[in-house]
Amino acid sequence: MSQTKDILKNNLWDNNPILIQILGICSTLAVTNLLSNTLIMTLGVSFVTALSSLTLSAIKKLIPRKVRMIVQTLVIAFYVIIVDILLKAYSPEISKNLGPYVGLIITNCIIMGRAEAFAQSNPPGLSFWDGLTSGLGYMSVLMLIAFVRELLGFGTLFGYRVMPMAFTSGGYNWTIMVMAPSAFFLVGILLWISKSIMLKNETGGKK
Amino acid sequence: MSPILNPFSLFFASIFTSNILLANFLGMCSFISISKDMKSSNGLGLAVTFVLVITGMANWAVLHLILIPLGLEYLRYIVFIVVIAAVVQILEMVIDRVSPALYMSLGIFLPLITVNCAILGVVLFIEIRAYTFVQSIIFSLGSGLGWWLAIMALSAIRKKVDKAPVPAGLQGAGITLITIGFMAMAFIGFSGMLQVQ
């Protein structure tokens, strides 16, 4: 029981995939300008991470070391195809918005990272839990970024208008929030905040 | 989708305004970790450009000559990633045989490239935007050069930033990401001139 709790805490904060390891931001940052896209995308990533960790942990004894990487990639690609087909069937609109980025979940470093670092040496159940919580840690950070970007860029949250219309029109709108650079700035600032808190905790603990 | 017919526009748009890294966020993982060192950045940039052009051509051919005629498009992710892995593997062997000197400088980067999002990203863009064979070559070459340019620029900036008094919490990845943000702003500044769709 305590082990599952440790994994949860570790993946959500102490070892957060984005804030600490800076992994896997490649494919998902691009869709963080809208909350709904980000939610679907990160759910997809969590799904793939959890199930591929589970699968790879279950079959780890059967895979020769030499072809490990390619087997991992194929298992991941298999789950990504499932996500892609499900999205196309149930929400074609979002699938179209996400464009190539659904396919790019395959090369998301978090999934490979968890498979390599955790699933290799742990039982399937724990690996599944580890993959899922990594996905959640990933989701929480990206949702925060998407929240700021959608609120300041479009004045909406999940497509509902929150800010007055005047906020996003009439030449005062923050076009930069809709475009790529803002995502880099926001991740940078989040890293700054989280690292400062951690540094403070460290020095506080020593005193 | 309005494909840009002029190959020069496509070439420059894929290097600058629609830079694969700064506008589409592809290839970030290795970008941040490798850009610490200028020499490795150069090697990786060269390797990425090289692999991009070859996989761009190979995957275009596989898609249009095998997958679409057989109606197997839903398998494309698996097929693309296998083609990329195979091309990287073959390339590694060929370079090792033909030019050991080049192998020494590129060798360690080649395995990393299989899981570089920029490669798969470019292949998927080629598919979604329905480029022709020639357009695919131009687009993948431009994207590769754009990635190379971005990583060289960043590693040069990081050399200077290393000596600057950065606040403790911002050191390392934090300041790097903010630097990338400024670079992205500069690159996107060109987007009034031309855009690639």
Side-chain angles (χ1 to χ4, degrees), chain A residues 154-176:
Chain A
F154 296 99
T156 56
L157 288 178
F158 282 110
Y160 296 105
R161 182 149 290 283
V162 184
M163 295 295 208
M165 201 61 197
F167 185 78
T168 48
S169 58
Y172 296 111
N173 50 344
W174 287 33
T175 321
I176 184 104

Side-chain angles (χ1 to χ4, degrees), chain B residues 59-129:
Chain B
N59 274 322
W60 189 93
V62 167
L63 181 70
H64 287 265
L65 301 180
I66 300 174
L67 291 184
I68 290 181
L70 295 178
L72 292 174
E73 285 105 325
Y74 64 92
L75 279 179
R76 65 192 187 284
Y77 295 148
I78 285 195
V79 173
F80 286 162
I81 204 87
V82 170
V83 170
I84 293 172
V87 166
V88 171
Q89 195 75 57
I90 293 170
L91 211 60
E92 203 177 338
M93 291 191 282
V94 169
I95 293 177
D96 188 21
R97 185 61 63 83
V98 175
S99 156
L102 187 64
Y103 184 76
M104 287 302 280
S105 59
L106 279 189
I108 47 164
F109 302 113
L110 283 170
L112 273 180
I113 285 180
T114 314
V115 286
N116 188 321
C117 349
I119 312 281
L120 185 63
V122 164
V123 171
L124 292 175
F125 274 128
I126 288 175
E127 187 221 340
I128 284 180
R129 292 172 182 165

Side-chain angles (χ1 to χ4, degrees), chain A residues 22-27 29-30 70 73-74 77-78 80-81 84-85 88 99-104 106-107 109 112 176 179-181 183-185 187-189 191-192 195-196 199, chain B residues 21-29 32 74-78 81-82 85 114-117 120-121 124-125 128 167-174 177-178 180-182 184-185 188:
Chain A
I22 338 236
L23 277 185
I25 50 178
C26 351
S27 48
L29 263 192
I70 192 79
T73 320
L74 287 180
F78 169 73
V80 171
I81 289 178
D84 186 47
I85 291 175
K88 276 206 178 112
Y101 294 104
V102 180
L104 284 168
I106 299 175
T107 49
C109 335
M112 202 82 149
I176 184 104
M179 294 192 332
F184 291 117
F185 289 136
V187 177
I189 292 167
L191 281 177
W192 188 4
K195 204 170 170 189
S196 302
L199 284 176
Chain B
L21 191 114
L22 298 170
N24 292 316
F25 305 97
L26 296 176
M28 290 289 295
C29 305
I32 293 181
Y74 64 92
L75 279 179
R76 65 192 187 284
Y77 295 148
I78 285 195
I81 204 87
V82 170
T114 314
V115 286
N116 188 321
C117 349
L120 185 63
L124 292 175
F125 274 128
I128 284 180
L170 197 55
Q171 271 167 15
L177 275 158
I178 289 178
I180 300 173
F182 282 116
M185 276 170 81
I188 283 170

Side-chain angles (χ1 to χ4, degrees), chain A:
Chain A
M1 188 62 212
S2 73
Q3 203 178 354
T4 52
K5 229 180 212 169
D6 279 350
I7 293 174
L8 178 69
K9 185 168 165 284
N10 203 21
N11 283 333
L12 284 184
W13 176 252
D14 291 340
N15 210 2
N16 184 295
I18 295 186
L19 296 178
I20 309 301
Q21 311 176 43
I22 338 236
L23 277 185
I25 50 178
C26 351
S27 48
T28 315
L29 263 192
V31 296
T32 51
N33 54 0
L34 286 174
L35 272 169
S36 50
N37 288 353
T38 315
L39 182 67
I40 299 285
M41 185 76 182
T42 47
L43 276 177
V45 172
S46 308
F47 172 85
V48 176
T49 318
L51 288 179
S52 56
S53 278
L54 173 74
T55 315
L56 288 166
S57 167
I59 60 170
K60 62 177 181 267
K61 291 220 175 69
L62 302 174
I63 316 173
R65 264 196 97 69
K66 267 198 159 165
V67 294
R68 200 176 70 242
M69 293 288 251
I70 192 79
V71 172
Q72 285 170 351
T73 320
L74 287 180
V75 168
I76 294 167
F78 169 73
Y79 285 115
V80 171
I81 289 178
I82 295 179
V83 170
D84 186 47
I85 291 175
L86 282 178
L87 266 185
K88 276 206 178 112
Y90 289 103
S91 60
E93 178 99 353
I94 288 190
S95 162
K96 217 176 155 200
N97 282 342
L98 294 179
Y101 294 104
V102 180
L104 284 168
I105 296 178
I106 299 175
T107 49
N108 192 317
C109 335
I110 289 183
I111 306 177
M112 202 82 149
R114 287 335 287 174
E116 191 67 356
F118 198 92
Q120 271 306 315
S121 47
N122 284 286
L126 272 182
S127 302
F128 176 81
W129 178 244
D130 174 74
L132 191 67
T133 47
S134 287
L136 290 180
Y138 181 69
M139 180 193 280
S140 57
V141 176
L142 286 173
M143 287 301 277
L144 198 62
I145 293 169
F147 177 81
V148 177
R149 285 185 77 187
E150 188 174 345
L151 187 67
L152 297 181
F154 296 99
T156 56
L157 288 178
F158 282 110
Y160 296 105
R161 182 149 290 283
V162 184
M163 295 295 208
M165 201 61 197
F167 185 78
T168 48
S169 58
Y172 296 111
N173 50 344
W174 287 33
T175 321
I176 184 104
M177 278 295 161
V178 184
M179 294 192 332
S182 68
F184 291 117
F185 289 136
L186 286 172
V187 177
I189 292 167
L190 273 179
L191 281 177
W192 188 4
I193 296 171
S194 66
K195 204 170 170 189
S196 302
I197 295 173
M198 278 171 200
L199 284 176
K200 212 172 162 190
N201 284 348
E202 244 168 53
T203 49
K206 272 175 198 160
K207 270 174 198 170

